[in-house]
Amino acid sequence: MSKNGNRGGLVVFEWRDGFTGRRYGFTKEQQDAARRLVAGLLEAKLKKEVGDDLRALADAAAAFWARDYYRLVFPLAFGREVVDGGVRAVFLDDPGDRVDQTAVFRRAPLDGAARPPLLPAGGRAPAEYLLADVVLVRAALANIYCRQRGVDPGLLHVLRLACFTGPLAAELAASGFDLPEEVRRLVDFLEGDGEPPAELDAEDLRRLWEAGAVAAEEAMDIAPASFAVTVVVGAVQRVKQYVFETPGLNEIRGGSEILSDVTERLAVDVATELGAEVVLRAAGSHLEFLVPDAETGAAWEARLRREFVAATGGVLVAAAAETLPVRDLLGDYYRAMGRVYQRLEAARNQTRPLYPETLPFEERCAICGQRAAEGWYQPPEGDAEPICRVCLIKREWGRDARRDKTRELEEQLRGGGRALWGLGADAGLPQSLDDLIVGHPRRRLVAVVYGDGNNFGAVVQQLKNIAVARQWTCRVEAVTWSATALALAEAVRVSVPAPHAAAKEAQRKPSLPFQVLALGGEDIGLFAWGPVGLRFAERFVALTDREFTPAPGHDGARICFSLGVLVADAKAAVARTVAFSEGELLKWAKRAARNAGYRDGGTIAFLVVPTADQIPGDLDDFQQTMYYREGATFPVCLTLRPVTAAELGFLLDRAARLREAGFVGALGRMAAAFVRGEPRVAVLYYLYQKARERKGRDDGGFTALLEDTRERPPTLADLDFAGRVLGTRRPFGGEPVAGGRETYFAPLVDLAELVKVLE
Ligand SMILES: [Zn+2]
């Protein structure tokens, strides 16, 4: 391990976050402590395997590095803590340029404010490589290499185990954990001492070992020229169409669960047959992994298609395999993978729906109304109805509460199980969108939240090496799930006050006020009771912004998330609300983030429409009609949307205070004056109201509450609800225009819409 720097007189080990430019420094003592801690966790994992089965030990070690370790260190910037029985996020201090010698390391994922036990790869590896990245790449290449050359399976697993334990061999030995003799000998060889068993080619192995732990350009020269591996990719086509094709929450949840379950099962199959280190990605309904040769690749291709079709009753899957020189994977990863994806694209075009047409005499499924019925199901009320195979499988899965993303979230938050949401230990999954509603609010509003990452494409294009690519994939997954779990826990606690919670718990079968969906990739999708959905959006973007805040001067693209949130009547058609949230609001939010150069991080575009028929047909028209006034002297924009997390938090808090103070009516009248009348007249009305308050003739406080400058985010420092220019802010997050007219912002409508959700 190298000494990478010297800060404040302390010799430190350093790891650089390649995606934000942040640096994490450690003293020698800290690095030793982190290594002992990680070795202890690895040892505990190995000790769970009984007997001397080297293969089982190697598989356990592979799972430790490929899954447990990344979930332990990511996210870097936040953890979870329990306060008054409720789970909430805690931000970790940015170490900045100093080394915190009192730092304590996490012993489990999201372990309070303890710091992640980062182990830099060290040696000649670039500063952003983690030891885990290097361990996994070396093991994967050694694994494939041995299989190609027909090396005895026993020896293969000895070599794998040597790859996984070698870097921490000293720590393992010091704690009394004895590696088998043959593993120790191979560790010594890999570290540069002695010879390998005759079956292994010493020269090739050393080259692979070295190539796995150096910068991309260098790896190109070191890796054996003739060594190639086959990459297999499988991806479900039109995931959204499959999940949202029918309106019922049970079928939607079922569809999402089936896809994530079969993906996970296939990843386990690959890990069992070939080793977890060869799996590059397994999330949503997308798989990427390495196999020894084209023949094995073709077999897996067929198997992926078959398994997805069998699990779903007929979903479109594209799969492809491509053989690539290892030099390209190590030195030119993005371009090399591009070749695999070209293949996938070609395979995609050949995919045909399995249920093309319904013949005129066939009875159609009562749920999807498209495919031919193959059986019957009994709805809660009424007679049995015809159902197709696809809908039947979804329905059965959706009704099975044992399998659900909610359980994964609860595991992620460690502690409390179902009870952590504050709605009782036996709260069930919502069976319909109406079940999401808590208590008896004035309007039965459901939020449809849809989101994804900004700049992920740009990040992926920069990935030159397979090691960093894997780190990125694992980090995105860990951060997305942790942020989702914590944001929901906080949103439910804030939005469901104790009396509501008690009322909900008193129901015969209380249900949770949210449903998270797995949609593949870094897509975020969930349904929630209106207030929970809005709070979730705010917390989720705040957490992910924190994780990916770039270091000062970092020149890479800023990573952040954008969300679309449509809050509409629980009876609105799901196909319509999802399409609007994803197709219109999310796109709007992403556009605004891009136009701002991602300066303030992620963005949220929300819209509250109490009835389904108010969902705009054309968002641009709607924006102009509802929120924009040309004005005689200057244009006025009546909304701040899309907003940042801090801005949404501010607006939600202000809306809640107005409601508590009994100003819902006053707010509605004032907002209507801006929407319906001339801005000039509306401003006069506002000033008149303010003057009355000052004289104490009216029940004072409405404008005073609006003008309270406390807790305003910096981007709204100049805010005046009666109208004010806000720096360079453009209407609807539009592109900055040089020399254009300044726009005044008078965003009372934002508060008026949010209050409707809180009533
Ligand atoms: Zn159907």
Side-chain angles (χ1 to χ4, degrees):
M1 195 130 312
S2 69
K3 291 162 186 171
N4 287 323
N6 189 330
R7 287 197 207 132
L10 289 167
V11 177
V12 294
F13 290 80
E14 192 174 80
W15 178 72
R16 181 176 170 275
D17 177 350
F19 303 105
T20 65
R22 294 191 170 272
R23 291 165 185 282
Y24 293 79
F26 306 94
T27 62
K28 171 86 171 66
E29 291 71 31
Q30 286 180 324
Q31 236 348 246
D32 289 348
R35 290 174 63 85
R36 279 197 303 275
L37 186 147
V38 175
L41 294 171
L42 172 60
E43 184 182 337
K45 184 114 181 165
L46 293 175
K47 279 186 171 160
K48 281 192 194 143
E49 300 301 324
V50 281
D52 292 336
D53 182 352
L54 289 182
R55 177 184 181 155
L57 286 175
D59 285 348
F64 173 81
W65 287 111
R67 195 189 53 218
D68 302 2
Y69 181 74
Y70 289 110
R71 289 184 186 179
L72 180 64
V73 295
F74 296 122
L76 297 173
F78 59 90
R80 88 182 218 321
E81 62 180 6
V82 179
V83 177
D84 298 334
V87 173
R88 70 174 193 198
V90 50
F91 286 144
L92 273 56
D93 281 342
D94 172 20
D97 258 354
R98 73 206 149 73
V99 176
D100 177 5
Q101 295 196 69
T102 61
V104 179
F105 289 111
R106 277 180 193 159
R107 303 197 58 85
L110 298 173
D111 189 2
R115 289 177 59 189
L118 291 161
L119 299 183
R124 279 156 60 208
E128 65 268 25
Y129 286 23
L130 285 170
L131 181 61
D133 310 336
V134 166
V135 162
L136 287 162
V137 169
R138 283 171 162 172
L141 296 183
N143 179 332
I144 299 289
Y145 180 87
C146 288
R147 288 179 195 277
Q148 285 178 356
R149 278 150 189 79
V151 168
D152 170 68
L155 182 54
L156 163 69
H157 298 304
V158 170
L159 179 58
R160 291 175 66 216
L161 199 50
C163 289
F164 294 131
T165 54
L168 296 173
E171 285 77 8
L172 289 169
S175 83
F177 185 80
D178 285 326
L179 291 168
E181 176 58 31
E182 62 265 49
V183 176
R184 266 209 311 273
R185 268 205 309 272
L186 260 177
V187 169
D188 288 345
F189 159 70
L190 292 169
E191 307 270 296
D193 186 18
E195 287 298 315
E199 238 186 299
L200 299 172
D201 183 313
E203 166 73 13
D204 277 358
L205 265 188
R206 272 205 215 283
R207 275 163 166 264
L208 282 181
W209 186 253
E210 213 183 321
V214 293
E217 303 74 35
E218 224 185 314
M220 287 274 247
D221 297 333
I222 299 174
S226 61
F227 183 29
V229 298
T230 301
V231 182
V232 181
V233 180
V236 171
Q237 309 298 292
R238 300 186 217 153
V239 172
K240 281 165 235 153
Q241 192 184 314
Y242 169 74
V243 171
F244 296 114
E245 72 173 359
T246 53
L249 189 57
N250 266 322
E251 287 78 28
I252 291 172
R253 171 170 54 229
S256 141
E257 284 306 313
I258 291 167
L259 292 183
S260 95
D261 179 80
V262 64
T263 308
E264 208 172 295
R265 230 165 358 95
L266 282 162
V268 169
D269 287 354
V270 175
T272 309
E273 289 174 35
L274 296 169
E277 65 271 29
V278 305
V279 180
L280 302 179
R281 181 174 166 190
S285 39
H286 189 116
L287 279 152
E288 276 175 28
F289 53 96
L290 306 177
V291 299
D293 50 56
E295 200 184 324
T296 319
W300 272 103
E301 238 187 277
R303 184 162 162 190
L304 294 185
R305 284 199 208 98
R306 205 168 55 234
E307 296 271 339
F308 270 104
V309 169
T312 57
V315 70
L316 300 184
V317 187
E322 175 80 12
T323 302
L324 302 168
V326 162
R327 289 187 161 189
D328 290 355
L329 282 179
L330 290 170
D332 201 2
Y333 180 79
Y334 175 72
R335 279 249 299 279
M337 288 302 279
R339 304 222 295 274
V340 188
Y341 278 89
Q342 268 174 15
R343 280 252 172 170
L344 189 72
E345 203 52 47
R348 203 165 271 182
N349 296 331
Q350 289 158 14
T351 328
R352 294 270 173 276
L354 291 173
Y355 296 88
E357 297 279 334
T358 312
L359 300 171
F361 54 83
E362 279 179 311
E363 182 143 35
R364 285 182 193 227
C365 166
I367 291 184
C368 65
Q370 289 169 11
R371 290 173 290 261
E374 293 181 59
W376 299 86
Y377 80 101
Q378 181 62 52
E381 287 156 25
D383 297 331
E385 302 255 26
I387 189 169
C388 73
R389 190 186 314 179
V390 176
C391 290
L392 183 66
I393 300 176
K394 281 184 179 180
R395 193 178 159 80
E396 282 171 355
W397 270 77
R399 291 161 64 91
D400 185 348
R402 285 167 305 175
R403 301 181 282 206
D404 179 62
K405 282 278 153 289
T406 309
R407 280 208 193 280
E408 276 178 46
L409 294 173
E410 286 158 4
E411 279 161 25
Q412 190 90 7
L413 292 175
R414 294 184 304 112
R418 182 59 37 106
L420 75 85
W421 309 106
L423 294 163
D426 59 349
L429 301 178
Q431 299 299 309
S432 69
L433 293 180
D434 207 54
D435 279 355
L436 298 168
I437 313 282
V438 178
H440 302 281
R442 220 177 125 200
R443 302 177 182 85
R444 302 188 72 77
L445 297 175
V446 164
V448 180
V449 184
Y450 213 105
D452 77 352
N454 293 312
N455 277 327
F456 281 38
V459 165
V460 172
Q461 283 184 33
Q462 301 298 317
L463 297 174
K464 288 249 186 318
N465 181 285
I466 190 171
V468 194
R470 185 200 287 268
Q471 185 197 105
W472 166 247
T473 308
C474 294
R475 180 172 181 182
V476 168
E477 199 194 350
V479 169
T480 310
W481 270 109
S482 304
T484 301
L486 284 166
L488 267 174
E490 291 187 6
V492 173
R493 288 273 167 179
V494 172
S495 313
V496 185
H500 275 161
K504 185 125 188 161
E505 215 181 321
Q507 285 175 19
R508 202 158 40 83
K509 186 168 171 18
S511 55
L512 296 171
F514 60 85
Q515 176 64 56
V516 176
L517 302 170
L519 298 170
E522 73 279 7
D523 282 13
I524 318 295
L526 70 108
F527 297 108
W529 179 41
V532 173
L534 284 164
R535 275 288 172 196
F536 166 84
E538 181 240 315
R539 297 313 299 152
F540 180 86
V541 172
L543 288 167
T544 47
D545 274 356
R546 179 76 176 208
E547 175 72 9
F548 294 113
T549 302
H554 177 63
D555 57 359
R558 176 165 180 172
I559 298 157
C560 55
F561 283 79
S562 284
L563 301 181
V565 184
L566 177 66
V567 187
D569 188 277
K571 290 189 181 61
V574 164
R576 179 96 183 87
T577 55
V578 169
F580 192 80
S581 192
E582 191 229 350
E584 302 285 345
L585 294 177
L586 172 58
K587 289 211 174 90
W588 181 18
K590 289 179 78 77
R591 206 160 50 232
R594 189 172 58 240
N595 287 338
Y598 306 101
R599 191 185 51 234
D600 301 313
T603 49
I604 302 145
F606 66 89
L607 182 67
V608 181
V609 285
T611 63
D613 55 11
Q614 287 171 294
I615 298 175
D618 182 304
L619 184 60
D620 288 341
D621 267 4
F622 183 81
Q623 286 169 348
Q624 295 298 326
T625 318
M626 286 296 292
Y627 305 128
Y628 193 77
R629 300 290 172 267
E630 201 47 66
T633 41
F634 47 78
V636 178
C637 185
L638 304 180
T639 181
L640 297 169
R641 284 168 271 181
V643 288
T644 64
E647 289 167 356
L648 179 56
F650 163 77
L651 291 171
L652 279 168
D653 288 344
R654 212 40 69 99
R657 279 173 66 190
L658 287 166
R659 191 184 75 89
E660 279 155 27
F663 290 130
V664 173
L667 175 63
R669 284 190 296 278
M670 191 71 79
F674 277 92
V675 173
R676 298 210 189 103
E678 275 250 351
R680 209 158 32 100
V681 179
V683 170
L684 284 176
Y685 177 39
Y686 182 95
L687 294 175
Y688 169 72
Q689 181 72 25
K690 188 169 157 180
R692 280 174 64 99
E693 274 176 34
R694 286 254 171 87
K695 287 185 191 146
R697 281 204 219 129
D698 210 339
D699 31 337
F702 173 57
T703 58
L705 216 164
L706 288 175
E707 291 177 13
D708 181 355
T709 54
R710 282 173 299 172
E711 286 158 20
R712 278 188 186 170
T715 50
L716 299 180
D718 296 334
L719 179 70
D720 180 341
F721 282 96
R724 183 71 64 85
V725 174
L726 296 173
T728 56
R729 193 177 195 110
R730 302 284 306 150
F732 315 120
E735 276 179 81
V737 186
R741 279 199 303 168
E742 284 181 321
T743 304
Y744 281 64
F745 286 86
L748 275 166
V749 180
D750 289 344
L751 292 176
E753 280 186 36
L754 292 174
V755 154
K756 282 182 191 155
V757 185
L758 302 179
E759 269 187 281

